[in-house]
Amino acid sequence: MKAPKVIAEIGCNHKGQMEIAEEMIMMIAKFCKADYAKFQKRNPKEVLTPEQYNMPHPVEANSYGTTYGEHREFLEFDLDQHKQLKAWCEEQGIGYSTSVWDLTSAEEITSLNPDFIKIPSGTNQHYEVLNYLCEQFAGDIHVSVGMTTHEEERKLIDFFKERGRNKSLVLYSCTSGYPVPFEDIGLYEITRLIENYGEEVKQIGFSGHHLGIAADIAAMTLGAEWVERHFTLDRTWKGTDHAASLEPEGMRKLVRDLRNVSKALNYKESEILEIEKPQRDKLKWGI
């Protein structure tokens, strides 16, 4: 089995600081050895209603502003900063990508021409954004299907098929919770997506928000060709996503185990392997 591509999602775990983002990119590339570092891009005034923008953060201890809108603005990087993030990723030999939440963000990130652009679960029914990417972005479009009905999934795939872009579409099994208890991960959703849509889309992936790395290994054995996990330098940092993120050692072990287990998922090349022959000569008796 081919090892899945591993995406370390920094998201907004950089706490609005480019220095932390640069350190995270270096750690992902050199220590963890993941394939991609991924961020998020949103225009808070486009995504939020005025009421949502001006309301307090629902968890005051995690807020970086006096309102939820100010909190979101504080954590945003502008387009020039994303250009720098992409350059840092390239310098470190890994890929750069970003999740986009709105049309403005989709337009801006398209201009950077990453390998792929991610659509988060919350935006996967926003057809203005999806249509823009289908028409204007040449790379692959990755979409998570957390908190999405089967009818909405079907509508999404048909939308891409109508535009001739379904073979650029990568679907991610996902449960939208932070963190997700094991009984809610739903790993067999990967099997369902492959059985229902595997011939129609490019690939199926797994985006996890759970604890540990055991479920990700199982996701690979079920056919996930991409594994995405949130990444942080410190799970105790202020913010919503840190608790459901992997620290550097956890991400390193995830990448290591996915690649090692992928090598083991095969049949023996012969009835008696070369590595077994000396042991057979020494230990086999009673024949």
Side-chain angles (χ1 to χ4, degrees), residues 126-140:
H126 194 307
Y127 285 93
E128 185 179 15
V129 173
L130 296 175
N131 187 63
Y132 177 85
L133 292 177
C134 284
E135 292 184 350
Q136 303 298 327
F137 179 59
D140 288 341

Side-chain angles (χ1 to χ4, degrees), residues 233-252:
L233 297 181
D234 188 336
R235 294 180 65 246
T236 69
W237 274 353
K238 174 180 173 179
T240 305
D241 290 348
H242 295 286
S245 301
L246 294 176
E247 291 179 337
E249 182 63 17
M251 185 64 71
R252 185 191 70 81

Side-chain angles (χ1 to χ4, degrees), residues 80-93:
D80 286 338
Q81 289 172 308
H82 274 271
K83 289 179 182 177
Q84 182 61 66
L85 296 172
K86 185 170 186 281
W88 283 334
C89 288
E90 291 168 351
E91 289 171 8
Q92 296 297 329

Side-chain angles (χ1 to χ4, degrees), residues 28-46:
I28 289 166
K30 300 304 183 186
F31 181 70
C32 304
K33 302 187 185 305
D35 299 289
Y36 284 86
K38 189 169 76 67
F39 296 86
Q40 293 189 18
K41 187 81 176 77
R42 62 183 103 189
N43 180 357
K45 290 185 177 176
E46 189 172 339

Side-chain angles (χ1 to χ4, degrees), residues 23-138:
E23 182 182 356
M24 295 174 91
I25 289 170
M26 293 175 62
M27 188 67 71
I28 289 166
K30 300 304 183 186
F31 181 70
C32 304
K33 302 187 185 305
D35 299 289
Y36 284 86
K38 189 169 76 67
F39 296 86
Q40 293 189 18
K41 187 81 176 77
R42 62 183 103 189
N43 180 357
K45 290 185 177 176
E46 189 172 339
V47 173
L48 303 172
T49 66
E51 293 76 17
Q52 290 171 327
Y53 191 97
N54 292 309
M55 69 183 292
H57 191 290
V59 182
E60 184 179 354
N62 285 330
S63 183
Y64 287 92
T66 57
T67 68
Y68 185 68
E70 289 179 3
H71 162 78
R72 292 256 54 106
E73 300 278 12
F74 182 89
L75 294 173
E76 276 301 309
F77 289 148
D78 63 27
L79 181 58
D80 286 338
Q81 289 172 308
H82 274 271
K83 289 179 182 177
Q84 182 61 66
L85 296 172
K86 185 170 186 281
W88 283 334
C89 288
E90 291 168 351
E91 289 171 8
Q92 296 297 329
I94 60 172
Y96 156 92
S97 188
T98 298
S99 293
V100 298
W101 287 74
D102 53 81
L103 184 58
T104 299
S105 299
E107 293 170 349
E108 291 179 339
I109 299 303
T110 293
S111 72
L112 299 182
N113 194 32
D115 293 342
F116 68 90
I117 290 177
K118 181 79 184 292
I119 294 292
S121 298
T123 307
N124 70 20
Q125 297 297 295
H126 194 307
Y127 285 93
E128 185 179 15
V129 173
L130 296 175
N131 187 63
Y132 177 85
L133 292 177
C134 284
E135 292 184 350
Q136 303 298 327
F137 179 59

Side-chain angles (χ1 to χ4, degrees), residues 20 25 28 34 44 47 59 66 98 126 132 136 171 188-189 191 196 198 203 208 213 227 269 286:
I20 292 178
I25 289 170
I28 289 166
V47 173
V59 182
T66 57
T98 298
H126 194 307
Y132 177 85
Q136 303 298 327
L171 287 182
Y188 282 142
E189 289 297 303
T191 305
N196 290 349
Q203 291 169 318
I213 60 175
V227 171
E269 293 180 353

